[in-house]
Amino acid sequence: MSHTAELIAVGTELLLGNIANTDAQMISQGLSQLGINVYYHTVVGDNPQRVRQAVDIARGRADILITTGGLGPTCDDLTKVAVAQAFGKELVYHEPSAQRIRERFAARGTPVTENNFQQAMVPEGCTVLDNDWGTAPGVAFASGGTHVLMLPGPPRECEKMFRHRALPYLQKLSDGVIASRTVKTFGIGESAAEALLRDLMNALHNPTLAPYAKPTGTELRITAHAPTREEALRLIAPVEEQVKAILKDKVIGVDVDSLEEVCLRLLKDRGLTVGTAESCTGGLMAKLLTDLPGSSAVFRGGVVSYTDAVKRGLLGVPEDLLAQYGAVSPQVAQAMAQGARAALGCDLALAATGVAGPDPDDRGNPIGLVYLALAWEGGCQVVPFRAGTQAERERVRRMAAWTGLDLIRRHLTGLPLA
């Protein structure tokens, strides 16, 4: 039997935009792994009538109902009351939950106030989901063909409760699993990727292939449904190979988080070090690399050479190059990369110099023009990058930095840099 779920997030702060509904994203991802379809997300404020109305609507179109939030000790924590009323259930006092609340407050060394025991009231006949990460227990019950699970709202608690309490309950209901693999690309937009993959996408039924636009490129999600995860992955494997064959050097990896993660792994695998020399990107290339744990094994350092004086003094860029060609030029980009490699003692050095905007430079170079250079023992190559004259300053900087990192990937995997 195929199941459908609806998620109801309770909290006025969500409607006001004060916080993001990260719980729903996390739960939807978990449900997809069980083969449970999610067709609707609902967000409702702290109002008992509207919560009740949302529950009534949801139970008419889904057989699994998961609520988040509204289980705490304050007067606006009303989810259990509204849901219990919707299913004709009384709330009863659950002494084991009350005792866990007492113990938790005692461990903190703070007195427990009476309103906290509101959290120990649960729908009659329910399964109590113990909360080892907070005070409000979750609950689960089945009524009239609908399975109801109520989880606390704070993201840290919700994630733990879902993984360790709700999933085991839901696994008993699932008739299979949905597995997915994500092919990550760099430098190709969603429409271009879709045009190349359209025939393949139209021919597939299980697995399916869907593109998702991301700032750095396009992600291709391959999803399969099967009785076991192993069988689903076997269905995915040939499609994954087809996608990689079609998109060729635009593919940076499968199930990887980022381009910088790919670069870091390649550098570690080859025992190489890297350094940066940055003008218009202002240290962003260095930041992207050093944001990753373990980057100290490969990253030697970076120079933010925003002025010609720093380019000359720290990187050794010759004065005659700056005078003849200007700071934004392939000649200076090459000299910056070679100077950084020498100054930092690294195997590879990446340089960027360009015009981030909002105005062209004093030599008339347009907004969005950046020269990137990668230097290594025995060689150096300069690649121009153009973000477009209408690109915003932050986009120019970020895309230039990512394109620079892609030069590392290409160099270390034997791909042409341009």
Side-chain angles (χ1 to χ4, degrees), residues 317-318 321 325-336 338 353 371 382:
V317 177
L321 287 185
Y325 300 107
V328 180
S329 63
Q331 294 82 359
V332 168
Q334 177 172 322
M336 287 171 62
Q338 292 170 330
T353 179
Y371 291 102
V382 179

Side-chain angles (χ1 to χ4, degrees), residues 266-417:
L266 288 170
L267 289 163
K268 283 184 173 181
D269 289 347
R270 288 156 176 77
L272 299 174
T273 58
V274 67
T276 57
E278 305 183 57
S279 184
C280 63
T281 49
L284 186 54
M285 294 191 296
K287 178 184 184 303
L288 289 171
L289 288 170
T290 56
D291 278 346
L292 299 174
S295 58
S296 59
V298 302
F299 186 73
R300 294 299 299 269
V303 176
V304 179
S305 54
Y306 223 59
T307 65
D308 286 359
V310 175
K311 291 179 178 70
R312 289 192 301 268
L314 292 183
L315 297 176
V317 177
E319 173 63 42
D320 60 334
L321 287 185
L322 290 164
Q324 183 175 355
Y325 300 107
V328 180
S329 63
Q331 294 82 359
V332 168
Q334 177 172 322
M336 287 171 62
Q338 292 170 330
R341 188 169 178 274
L344 300 171
C346 48
D347 297 301
L348 302 177
L350 185 61
T353 179
V355 185
D359 301 306
D361 71 359
D362 55 6
R363 291 188 177 233
N365 287 308
I367 298 167
L369 173 63
V370 180
Y371 291 102
L372 300 159
L374 183 68
W376 61 91
E377 184 178 4
C380 183
Q381 186 165 343
V382 179
V383 176
F385 165 75
R386 293 175 175 82
T389 58
Q390 301 303 312
E392 295 180 354
R393 180 179 177 84
E394 184 59 23
R395 174 172 169 75
V396 173
R397 287 158 51 90
R398 288 208 160 267
M399 289 308 300
W402 277 318
T403 302
L405 294 183
D406 195 49
L407 296 183
I408 296 176
R409 175 187 73 93
R410 288 175 169 275
H411 175 73
L412 296 181
T413 55
L415 294 170
L417 299 193

Side-chain angles (χ1 to χ4, degrees), residues 20 60 109 121 125 181 188 246 252 257 259 265 285 304 316 325 390:
M121 301 297 291
R181 296 267 286 170
I188 183 169
I246 291 170
I252 65 169
D257 288 336
L259 177 58
R265 187 180 68 245
M285 294 191 296
V304 179
Y325 300 107
Q390 301 303 312

Side-chain angles (χ1 to χ4, degrees), residues 30-31 34 36 127 129-130 133 140 147 149 151 158-174:
L31 292 176
L34 295 178
I36 296 173
T127 297
L129 307 176
D130 292 335
W133 306 274
H147 293 272
L149 292 89
L151 303 175
C158 188
E159 193 272 337
K160 296 291 187 182
M161 289 288 286
F162 180 74
R163 301 294 179 198
H164 299 287
R165 302 290 185 262
L167 275 182
Y169 180 95
L170 293 166
Q171 282 170 341
K172 300 172 185 177
L173 310 179
S174 177

